[in-house]
């Protein structure tokens, strides 16, 4: 069953990103949604069932809106091609549909809840590969979308992703809000340089995968358990520190590349104010990444958590974690 679900996950993604016709793109999105649902609700805990239900409802609404936008466009222009989306109403509907798919503000409410209800591995899939098809659709239709609306949504995403992540104690919710603020960075540049959006998405995927895999290895779901994991694998905790700082976008780590290029491009486009605002808002994100990093590595005993210390393990670390953490810190240098 797991094999079938993962295969159809990749299949749906591939169908969407390689399609020219709106109906095939929609079909790929549907396959994706249906394939991830059992992976979310696998643990049969009431919270994960609730997360799967929420996910299904939002994604079904978004898919319906995608279909509606493309049909309106086809009705007015006779074009079913994805790049030929020209009718203003369908552009507006499509923007909201993709925002709902991705979890951009103001359609972001479902994402932290769903991520909190699903296991860490599924959370990784949800915040990386499930966002790939909508991002690709956004890139393909970006010339015809309204730049002012996209900029507004992007800045509010960066703001809300930063603010709402500040007082979270659950690692999955923190990762969800970090994802929302990163999507803000991707959306602000899409009308001017879509390639930068894709670059930002790839690097974000890599860094998030590194962080999620480390958390999965340590089996950490909240900040208080993160405080006791240093005993289990000190080197892994140190790499987690670097991966988190890279996700926050500090130079000279990898995560600084997209921020640097995006700010440069925005100032070229006479949007220095927007660039300043979104850079200041990423400081909010830096705060909660630093708090995660602080809990993971900088707190040393004796401290007052009433959790058991974990046993030190000499198990070799997964190769993919090694590759991903190295890349998410070393690509820029």
């Amino acid at each position: 069953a797991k094999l079938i679900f993962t295969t159809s996950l990749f299949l749906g993604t591939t169908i969407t990103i390689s399609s020219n016709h709106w109906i095939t793109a929609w079909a790929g999105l549907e396959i994706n949604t249906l394939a991830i649902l059992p992976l979310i609700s696998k643990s049969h805990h009431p919270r994960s069932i609730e997360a799967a239900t929420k996910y299904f409802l939002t994604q079904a609404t978004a898919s319906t809106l995608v279909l509606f936008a493309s049909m309106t466009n086809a009705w007015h222009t006779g074009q079913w091609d994805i790049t030929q989306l020209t009718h203003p109403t369908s552009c507006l509907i499509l923007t909201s549909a993709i925002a709902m798919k991705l979890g951009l503000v103001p359609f972001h409410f479902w994402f932290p809840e769903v991520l909190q209800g699903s296991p860490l591995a599924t959370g990784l899939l949800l915040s990386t590969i499930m966002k790939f098809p909508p991002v690709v659709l956004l890139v393909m239709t970006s010339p015809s979308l309204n730049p002012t609306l996209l900029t507004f949504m992007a800045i509010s995403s960066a703001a809300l992703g930063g603010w709402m992540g500040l007082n979270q104690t659950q690692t999955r919710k923190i990762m969800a809000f970090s994802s929302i603020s990163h999507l803000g960075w991707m959306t602000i540049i899409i009308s001017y340089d879509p390639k930068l959006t894709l670059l930002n998405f790839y690097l974000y995927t890599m860094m998030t995968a590194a962080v999620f895999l480390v958390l999965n290895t340590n089996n950490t779901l909240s900040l208080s358990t993160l405080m006791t994991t240093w005993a289990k694998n000190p080197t892994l905790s140190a790499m987690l520190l670097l991966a988190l700082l890279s996700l926050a976008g500090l130079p000279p780590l990898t995560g600084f590349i997209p921020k640097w290029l995006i700010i440069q491009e925005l100032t070229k486009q006479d949007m220095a104010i927007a660039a300043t605002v979104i850079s200041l808002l990423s400081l909010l994100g830096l705060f909660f990444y630093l708090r995660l990093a602080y809990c993971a590595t900088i707190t040393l005993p004796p401290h007052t958590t009433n959790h058991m210390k974990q046993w030190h393990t000499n198990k070799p670390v997964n190769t993919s974690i090694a590759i991903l953490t190295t890349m998410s810190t070393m690509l820029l240098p």
Side-chain angles (χ1 to χ4, degrees):
K2 214 169 190 178
L3 178 70
I4 292 175
F5 295 141
T6 37
T7 325
S8 19
L9 202 65
F10 286 103
L11 175 77
T13 310
T14 318
I15 289 176
T16 304
I17 62 181
S18 57
S19 59
N20 291 316
H21 195 287
W22 272 113
I23 297 290
T24 42
W26 169 79
L29 289 172
E30 285 298 297
I31 293 173
N32 245 354
T33 306
L34 292 175
I36 195 92
L37 281 174
L39 297 179
I40 298 176
S41 59
K42 195 175 66 193
S43 64
H44 294 299
H45 187 276
R47 176 164 274 184
S48 60
I49 304 289
E50 181 188 345
T53 314
K54 283 176 180 168
Y55 185 76
F56 173 72
L57 290 173
T58 42
Q59 299 299 314
T61 316
S63 297
T64 317
L65 283 175
V66 166
L67 208 51
F68 182 49
S70 49
M71 280 169 69
T72 320
N73 189 58
W75 180 258
H76 283 282
T77 60
Q79 277 287 355
W80 277 105
D81 199 328
I82 292 184
T83 48
Q84 302 290 323
L85 191 80
T86 45
H87 193 253
T89 318
S90 37
C91 288
L92 204 60
I93 298 171
L94 184 88
T95 310
S96 58
I98 285 185
M100 208 179 286
K101 277 264 174 217
L102 287 172
L104 272 172
V105 175
F107 305 104
H108 62 286
F109 297 103
W110 62 274
F111 190 56
E113 301 290 325
V114 169
L115 216 61
Q116 181 58 29
S118 49
L120 279 166
T122 313
L124 170 62
L125 287 177
L126 277 173
S127 39
T128 56
I129 195 171
M130 295 303 286
K131 303 216 164 181
F132 189 40
V135 165
V136 170
L137 286 180
L138 199 57
V139 167
M140 284 168 80
T141 54
S142 58
S144 50
L145 300 180
N146 181 357
T148 322
L149 177 68
L150 286 175
T151 309
F152 178 70
M153 283 165 78
I155 288 179
S156 49
S157 292
L160 271 166
W163 261 309
M164 293 172 74
L166 288 183
N167 56 355
Q168 298 296 333
T169 54
Q170 302 291 326
T171 47
R172 286 170 294 186
K173 276 198 171 168
I174 291 181
M175 293 311 290
F177 288 118
S178 105
S179 177
I180 291 172
S181 51
H182 271 276
L183 281 166
W185 278 91
M186 287 173 224
T187 324
I188 198 165
I189 198 68
I190 192 132
S191 322
Y192 310 106
D193 198 346
K195 288 197 180 69
L196 267 187
T197 301
L198 280 177
L199 172 78
N200 192 345
F201 182 76
Y202 297 144
L203 293 179
Y204 159 74
T205 302
M206 196 172 68
M207 298 181 291
T208 309
V211 172
F212 262 113
L213 287 172
V214 174
L215 291 177
N216 197 20
T217 309
N218 285 341
N219 202 5
T220 21
L221 296 178
S222 67
L223 289 181
S224 50
T225 43
L226 192 61
M227 280 185 176
T228 58
T229 51
W230 57 268
K232 188 176 177 183
N233 201 329
T235 6
L236 202 57
S237 292
M239 287 313 288
L240 179 63
L241 165 80
L242 287 174
L244 284 166
L245 292 182
S246 175
L247 206 49
L250 291 186
L253 304 166
T254 305
F256 182 56
I257 305 174
K259 287 192 167 47
W260 181 20
L261 293 174
I262 285 173
I263 291 172
Q264 194 179 345
E265 182 62 35
L266 284 175
T267 39
K268 278 182 195 164
Q269 300 287 348
D270 290 335
M271 289 178 65
I273 301 170
T276 314
V277 170
I278 202 166
S279 313
L280 288 174
L281 288 172
S282 71
L283 288 177
L284 294 166
L286 175 65
F287 175 78
F288 57 76
Y289 292 125
L290 272 178
R291 204 171 66 183
L292 268 175
Y294 180 76
C295 286
T297 50
I298 312 171
T299 40
L300 284 178
H303 51 59
T304 53
T305 49
N306 45 8
H307 276 276
M308 298 285 287
K309 294 276 183 293
Q310 301 190 12
W311 286 101
H312 187 94
T313 53
N314 285 326
K315 264 192 324 188
V317 172
N318 196 334
T319 325
S320 56
I321 296 186
I323 295 169
L324 283 168
T325 43
T326 313
M327 282 176 71
S328 57
T329 47
M330 294 299 173
L331 270 188
L332 181 58

